[in-house]
Amino acid sequence: MNRERLMADLRAMWRIRAFEDKAQALCGSGDIRGSVHLCTGQEAGPVGACDALDGTDALYSTYRGHGWAIARGTPLRPLMAELLGRATGVNGGRGGSAHFSAPEYGFHGENSIVGAGAPIAVGAALAGRFDGTGRIAVTVFGDGAMNQGSVHEAMNFAAAYRLPVLFLCENNRWSEMTQISETVRNPTLTDRPKALGMTSVRIDGTDPERVRETVGDLAEAAREGGGPAFVELTTTRLVGHYVGDVQHYRSREDIAADEANEPIGRAVRELTAAGVPAEEIERAESSARAEVEEAAQAALADPPVDTARVREHLYA
């Protein structure tokens, strides 16, 4: 284990966790309105994957995309301002939690339609062949999206034309409120892309270094003409499908299993075993929470978006 690398990963994961915790609190206070989906427990995927990407690469996430935007380098204050509907948000308060984008940081947006980011990413990869960027495209979706026709079509098109696309599936075993075992006969998701002639691997999505190495290797292969690849990230879900979901459909044992295996706790245990002082480990959390709190308070003081400008950016 590289202690310095894991400490950096812990700090990055805590920034995401602290942001999600604050967003949940602001939903409870009524400051954030509308639908909000948190990635609490899934922080290792964005931290590891985004660290392996270049600045020109295009990433498309689901509506559970706060962590991916943060890992891509989106500053916390304008991101929090976007969730709060402030004029200083990354999209001027128009996108909210589920529809924002920050293309200047390589984060090309969320999508509230399940699996819809996959064909868009394929289009970005195809365009990259002609615009001289040499980019690869990355699309992120959940295990439930594997049953969407658009995802199958996107993977088939990318495989047929050997496009540089990485399909990252965050498998937390829950498709909204339904276990994956109840929706598919074969829960080995990597079998499907293999049938299309695509490289397909399943890895521990709670280990940021494993994610970094895998995504880095596949991204390099894609840039060199190796075509698309599929990565199944097995991960944990510590909160409900959306803010307010009390998860009455999950057993206490299932939730406890995720709590025991989530990525931040795992990193803390590994660092402690490696002899890293507790004060240094605890500082990673306190520093992240202070940074997020400062961003939130600044965003709360920003002016709300002017509703008189609602017709801007609309076309007929």
Side-chain angles (χ1 to χ4, degrees):
M1 180 188 64
N2 185 316
R3 288 172 46 168
E4 290 73 23
R5 180 69 267 175
L6 186 54
M7 270 305 307
D9 287 340
L10 179 63
R11 296 187 191 100
M13 289 192 291
W14 263 122
R15 288 182 83 235
I16 297 173
R17 178 74 60 86
F19 187 94
E20 298 295 67
D21 287 348
K22 186 61 181 180
Q24 186 169 20
L26 290 171
C27 286
S29 64
D31 290 293
I32 294 179
R33 304 178 185 182
S35 181
V36 176
H37 300 77
L38 305 175
C39 68
T40 309
Q42 300 182 185
E43 297 86 358
V47 167
C50 291
D51 204 30
L53 301 178
D54 289 346
T56 58
D57 295 334
L59 187 144
Y60 302 82
S61 82
T62 68
Y63 45 76
R64 202 180 302 281
H66 305 164
W68 289 96
I70 293 170
R72 257 328 236 162
T74 308
L76 298 185
R77 176 176 175 174
L79 182 54
M80 187 66 80
E82 184 63 30
L83 271 61
L84 288 162
R86 298 305 199 255
T88 54
V90 288
N91 301 133
R94 289 173 169 80
S97 171
H99 300 97
F100 70 85
S101 64
E104 62 270 37
Y105 298 99
F107 182 80
H108 288 263
E110 302 173 296
N111 202 307
S112 63
I113 301 174
V114 175
I120 301 174
V122 170
L126 181 61
R129 281 191 172 173
F130 304 100
D131 63 13
T133 60
R135 78 166 73 87
I136 68 167
V138 181
T139 176
V140 185
F141 46 86
D143 47 285
M146 286 293 288
N147 296 325
Q148 292 287 78
S150 58
V151 173
H152 286 267
E153 293 167 23
M155 290 195 294
N156 183 65
F157 190 95
Y161 289 91
R162 300 185 68 84
L163 297 177
V165 188
L166 300 186
F167 297 87
L168 306 186
C169 176
E170 295 179 297
N171 184 0
N172 60 28
R173 309 183 319 281
W174 288 94
S175 303
E176 294 190 347
M177 292 87 174
T178 308
Q179 279 189 309
I180 188 173
S181 59
E182 298 179 23
T183 61
V184 296
R185 183 168 181 176
N186 178 10
T188 306
L189 301 182
T190 50
D191 285 349
R192 300 191 210 174
K194 286 179 181 177
L196 300 173
M198 189 187 305
T199 299
S200 183
V201 296
R202 187 176 196 257
I203 64 172
D204 183 353
T206 67
D207 180 353
E209 181 61 23
R210 181 77 172 108
V211 176
R212 181 182 299 108
E213 291 177 351
T214 302
V215 172
D217 289 345
L218 295 174
E220 182 179 358
R223 289 185 217 283
E224 295 175 352
F230 175 88
V231 183
E232 179 185 356
L233 307 172
T234 60
T235 187
T236 57
R237 196 181 92 181
L238 302 185
V239 295
H241 174 67
Y242 56 88
V243 172
D245 173 16
V246 297
Q247 303 192 90
H248 59 82
Y249 47 85
R250 293 183 72 181
S251 68
R252 293 181 179 178
E253 291 77 16
D254 185 76
I255 296 175
D258 273 0
E259 291 173 343
N261 295 307
E262 57 92 8
I264 289 180
R266 169 182 176 158
V268 168
R269 290 191 297 271
E270 291 182 4
L271 288 165
T272 301
V276 177
E279 295 77 11
E280 184 177 352
I281 296 174
E282 292 166 0
R283 196 156 49 241
E285 177 182 0
S286 60
S287 176
R289 292 199 182 278
E291 182 186 7
V292 168
E293 185 63 29
E294 181 180 358
Q297 292 307 316
L300 282 165
D302 288 339
V305 62
D306 183 2
T307 55
R309 302 176 62 186
V310 69
R311 293 185 181 275
E312 293 182 4
H313 309 294
L314 298 179
Y315 300 87

